[in-house]
Amino acid sequence: MALMESPTFLRFQLGAQLKRAREEAGVTVEQAAALIEVSPSTLRRIEQGRVGLKGPALNALLDLYRVTDAELRETLLSMARSGKQRGWWAKYGDLPNSYRQYIGLESAASEIHNFETLVVPGLLQTAEYARAIISADASQPTPDGVAQRVAARTERQKLLNDGQLKLVAVIDEAVLHRQIGGPEVMVEQLTTLLEAQKRWNVTIQVIPFREGAYASMVSSFHILGFAEGPGVVYIEGLTGDLYAEGEDVDRCARVFSNLRAAALSPTASTTLIRKLRDKETP
């Protein structure tokens, strides 16, 4: 999916550029917020890519930050205009804002490295497995909300089906044993993992129980890589989501490499998944 098709990614990149320009200019959040007549918390949300920004306010900030390069200013203004468009996920009205932002970034990614300790990665979940997880969510979604989130999760998987995205997933063996949705749902889910492993753009590796303690075993994370722009690390939390760039991406990339080294090879992982699937099959 092309970069311009993800307004969320554009807002995220615009916000990062504005934050960098503000800091280089020595301007505080409070000073910048006062100039465009918003609260400091709103300016932080702009810099986090959570909300958009209109042209006059953007120009005022660029003047304050002493950004004089005409080409750069026009690029940022174009990003602001495109960032106000609606992504495909807008048709699912009951999605949490944090989930919308992640989908928007995912839609612009060319590669994702995903480590999971408890559940199958969302891009590889079956509809019934996803339904069981979403129904148990702490936000207590309505039946219609559950249905919308399951539909959105299924539509996200087109990125893999169409070959627009490469996924490298490392999962703890516990993911394969946890009976989410019951035995029949798990058999279908494990079968889906086996089928996904055959794709050129999907790699699944399992860290076996015998590995013992390993790096980041208590924290799942996603590293999103983009054809244009720096990578981003995403960590989902009960009280809020965290996005990080720069050195944090490099640090997580090193951890992910260590996780892959600790995991079984893709071939050995397939053998383990098939063994557990066959054990569950009536």
Side-chain angles (χ1 to χ4, degrees), residues 10 34 58 70 90 101 105 118 123 138 184 195 198 211-212 221 255:
L10 291 171
L58 176 55
Q101 183 173 30
L105 293 174
L118 297 175
L123 288 170
E184 291 185 5
E195 292 300 315
K198 298 176 184 178
E211 184 64 25
F221 61 88
V255 170

Side-chain angles (χ1 to χ4, degrees), residues 87-138:
W88 63 260
W89 51 92
K91 63 187 175 184
Y92 300 107
D94 201 37
L95 300 181
N97 288 333
S98 58
Y99 187 35
R100 290 171 183 271
Q101 183 173 30
Y102 177 77
I103 292 176
L105 293 174
E106 180 185 78
S107 296
S110 58
E111 184 170 6
I112 293 179
H113 291 177
N114 185 190
F115 171 59
E116 295 288 350
T117 60
L118 297 175
V119 299
V120 169
L123 288 170
L124 300 175
Q125 292 177 8
T126 66
E128 291 307 311
Y129 184 95
R131 191 182 311 281
I133 290 177
I134 295 168
S135 298
D137 191 87

Side-chain angles (χ1 to χ4, degrees), residues 8-21:
T8 304
F9 179 71
L10 291 171
R11 287 197 302 271
F12 191 89
Q13 292 297 88
L14 174 61
Q17 294 242 27
L18 287 175
K19 181 179 180 181
R20 189 176 303 115

Side-chain angles (χ1 to χ4, degrees), residues 156-229:
R156 285 169 52 201
Q157 295 172 1
K158 291 180 181 179
L159 293 168
L160 292 180
N161 298 338
D162 296 342
Q164 300 176 61
L165 177 67
K166 182 179 180 182
L167 173 66
V168 180
V170 177
I171 60 177
D172 192 288
E173 185 180 343
V175 171
L176 307 177
H177 291 272
R178 186 173 297 279
Q179 290 291 307
I180 292 177
E184 291 185 5
V185 171
M186 283 306 300
V187 168
E188 180 187 17
Q189 179 61 76
L190 295 177
T191 299
T192 296
L193 290 179
L194 293 172
E195 292 300 315
Q197 188 79 296
K198 298 176 184 178
R199 299 178 184 173
W200 70 268
N201 57 334
V202 176
T203 301
I204 303 171
Q205 292 182 249
V206 181
I207 299 181
F209 285 146
R210 68 169 182 265
E211 184 64 25
Y214 58 85
S216 192
M217 64 183 297
V218 296
S219 178
S220 300
F221 61 88
H222 307 232
I223 305 175
L224 294 85
F226 305 96
E228 301 179 45

